[in-house]
Amino acid sequence: MRTLPKSVRIGAQTYTVIADPNLAAEDDCFGQRNSRRLTISIDSGAHEDRQAQTLMHEALEAANHEYHVKLTHDQIEQLECAVFALLRDNPGVFG
């Protein structure tokens, strides 16, 4: 079983990753990013694949913010799916 990392480095910032067992129940979402507090919360009750994909999504949201890329939420969702599948389907290729 995969475990969530304690933190992820995005640009010059280090975001703390928080496992929240009630996140989806409270907000009907699997992840949240807070750029002011530098946190990414992930619903720890979700399936491990959902947790990993949600972490990818929130990390892309954070990169979008940190680098002022200005991607729309729909574009981030599409990129999330593509990058997640690329990394999942090609283990060991990218590090």
Side-chain angles (χ1 to χ4, degrees):
M1 178 184 276
R2 228 179 268 144
T3 58
L4 290 170
K6 293 180 181 185
S7 63
V8 291
R9 188 99 174 133
I10 300 168
Q13 307 303 324
T14 300
Y15 282 73
T16 301
V17 178
I18 300 167
D20 183 342
N22 299 310
L23 186 63
E26 294 171 6
D27 295 333
D28 198 30
C29 66
F30 294 104
Q32 288 181 335
R33 172 189 54 87
N34 186 314
S35 293
R36 196 174 97 246
R37 292 189 178 130
L38 296 177
T39 60
I40 294 175
S41 298
I42 304 294
D43 186 327
S44 59
H47 187 277
E48 65 182 40
D49 285 345
R50 173 70 70 198
Q51 289 181 41
Q53 189 169 355
T54 301
L55 180 58
M56 170 70 68
H57 177 92
E58 297 304 329
L60 289 169
E61 290 273 10
N64 191 44
H65 174 80
E66 295 297 331
Y67 292 104
H68 308 283
V69 179
K70 299 181 182 176
L71 294 173
T72 67
H73 193 257
D74 285 344
Q75 290 172 320
I76 290 171
E77 285 182 335
Q78 292 168 355
L79 190 58
E80 159 213 329
C81 291
V83 172
F84 183 77
L86 178 68
L87 295 174
R88 181 198 59 211
D89 297 344
N90 298 282
V93 173
F94 298 98

